[in-house]
Amino acid sequence: PAGLLVAARAPGKAWGRTDARGTRLLGQSCPRPAGQGAGQQPVRSGGLPEGVEYIPTRKKGKNPMKPVGVAWYSLYARTRLGYLFYQRQVKKARERYPHGHSVPQPYCFPGVKILPIPVLSNNYSYLVIDTGSSQAAVIDPSDPLAVQAAIEKEGVMLEAIFCTHKHWDHSGGNEALCQKYSSCRVYGSALDAIPRLTNAPCSRHSPLADREKVTVGCLTFEALATPGHTVGHMVYVLDGGPFGSPPCLFSGDLLFLAGCGEPFEGSPETMLASLDVAVSLGEDTLLWPGHEYALECLTFASLLELDNSALEQKLQWAVQQRQEKRSTCPSTLGEEQTYNPFLRTHRPELQEALGLWQAGGEDPDAFRARVLKEVRRRKDLYQAT
């Protein structure tokens, strides 16, 4: 099927149940194997293909905390009002998108399958399956019914939930899934009030430290602390080496295709440091974001860098994908660095487009944080129009 990647299988060694480095192991030991296309249209100076008009879809593409600001965010993140709002989101999305907002495109490598699950109006959960043992983990289960349907269709056992952060549109399904799958454990940062984590019984209480690893069957995930969007935001990196695949970054609300999350609980300096952590994973790393924001983010980026050919080509491709309701993920971190303005704060062409210059004696990272702050400010103004 379209979007299916297959890598050659090579023989490898078996993994046991213990790890001297302290890696958490779940499930049974198992053998460990080793190691776009449609035609394009001409682009106008504004970045869109000829004959295509971009109309911002505020309700579909925006973070729900955005319209009212800090006061609403505080209510959403810290009170029951946020949970009630989330329940309303789920109900409306199920009615509007009974089969999901996008067509799922599974990615397969020998020994592992990654299934994006389109949930709510623009979120993604991800079911990651060890195909040898049929054990699975899910990242950010927004809608428990959609996740459960995928689990049952694939015929796998859910062993772990990895939450990137506390917001209900990423953690709202934790409770229901833990009730359904008794062996499932919830993982995330203790700094965020993640359901079934912070107040969980000891047997299910699994807060993670920065760079701690968890193994589910043959799948090894590394947690990386990436504060900014929330104080306890984490991303998860699936080690692709055993399967002959690139690393896979499940980025939550840190990084989107051509965009990044709002720093609700962090400074530009904090967000920049977290983005640098992601970039350090390597250019071949596959990016699996928490939202389908590609068209909005790419269109905004095209207004900043009018002569960026990589950006124009990616926008053409994304327009075609979304016209067919197909997912735009994954991209790669190498790609992102050619068109994502939040990862291009070091680029002179972006700095010049923003009218910013490094002051004499100014620390390079302090200047990059200033560039990031300006890109964020313009993105917020763009969303508000």
Side-chain angles (χ1 to χ4, degrees), residues 129-263:
I129 303 168
D130 168 17
T131 57
S133 67
S134 293
Q135 296 176 83
V138 67
I139 291 89
D140 287 354
S142 306
D143 183 343
L145 291 186
V147 172
Q148 182 182 334
I151 291 170
E152 293 176 352
K153 182 178 180 181
E154 296 294 326
V156 297
M157 176 57 66
L158 183 65
E159 298 289 347
I161 293 172
F162 293 100
C163 264
T164 58
H165 62 293
K166 64 191 173 187
H167 292 158
W168 291 109
D169 63 323
H170 293 258
S171 65
N174 290 7
E175 185 72 33
L177 290 171
C178 283
Q179 292 177 4
K180 176 71 175 177
Y181 302 97
S182 59
S183 65
C184 181
R185 297 172 68 95
V186 178
Y187 294 91
S189 171
L191 298 176
D192 266 16
I194 293 172
R196 279 281 182 157
L197 176 74
T198 306
N199 300 314
C202 291
S203 62
R204 307 286 284 282
H205 187 165
S206 303
L208 294 174
D210 182 33
R211 302 194 179 277
E212 187 170 358
K213 295 181 180 180
V214 178
T215 298
V216 180
C218 290
L219 310 174
T220 299
F221 297 86
E222 183 177 14
L224 300 177
T226 51
H229 185 67
T230 67
V231 68
H233 194 286
M234 281 187 148
V235 298
Y236 299 97
V237 183
L238 173 66
D239 180 7
F243 312 106
S245 78
C248 292
L249 170 62
F250 299 94
S251 61
D253 281 0
L254 170 68
L255 187 61
F256 311 129
L257 193 153
C260 86
E262 184 79 21

Side-chain angles (χ1 to χ4, degrees), residues 103-120:
V103 179
Q105 297 171 262
Y107 273 65
C108 298
F109 305 97
V112 62
K113 181 177 183 178
I114 299 173
L115 179 63
I117 307 172
V119 289
L120 303 184

